[in-house]
Amino acid sequence: MKHEAEQQLLKTLNGQLNELPAIAKTMVQQYQLSAMVLSVLCGVFLIACLAGTIWLSVYFFKKGEKQSSHERIWRTDCSAVSGMVAVTGGMISLIMLMSLVINIIHACAPIASLVKDLFS
């Protein structure tokens, strides 16, 4: 029942988008613009997170290679820290990538996203 109502509303909006009042067109454009801005921000954060993860992983890995066995026993093993940084950064990057994809979908299909947001 709910799915049928969503489909009917989408058909109505897609067919009569030119006849919508100016306020509705502005609302759709603002929704689309906000999704684009969020997409750009998520993309920037994704690139920064990937670059930081790679840099920190390489830094700790190289530092771990320089450690003697005595330092590895009594201090933190830097190569293990490199692995933890890589896993944590990878998870954060995956979250940012999913956010980026979701925001791009909202920017490309603003009417469907608005209808989904209204019914949820």
Side-chain angles (χ1 to χ4, degrees), residues 61-88:
F61 185 76
K62 286 182 179 178
K63 190 174 179 181
E65 286 180 343
K66 293 178 185 177
Q67 284 181 329
S68 67
S69 60
H70 182 269
E71 289 176 330
R72 288 184 186 171
I73 293 172
W74 298 106
R75 295 185 187 162
T76 305
D77 186 12
C78 286
S79 57
V81 173
S82 172
M84 289 187 284
V85 166
V87 169
T88 305

Side-chain angles (χ1 to χ4, degrees), residues 57-116:
S57 294
V58 169
Y59 173 77
F60 283 120
F61 185 76
K62 286 182 179 178
K63 190 174 179 181
E65 286 180 343
K66 293 178 185 177
Q67 284 181 329
S68 67
S69 60
H70 182 269
E71 289 176 330
R72 288 184 186 171
I73 293 172
W74 298 106
R75 295 185 187 162
T76 305
D77 186 12
C78 286
S79 57
V81 173
S82 172
M84 289 187 284
V85 166
V87 169
T88 305
M91 291 172 63
I92 293 171
S93 296
L94 186 62
I95 291 169
M96 293 308 299
L97 179 65
M98 289 184 338
S99 298
L100 174 67
V101 169
I102 289 170
N103 285 318
I104 288 175
I105 290 170
H106 286 286
C108 291
I111 294 176
S113 300
L114 274 170
V115 170
K116 185 178 177 185

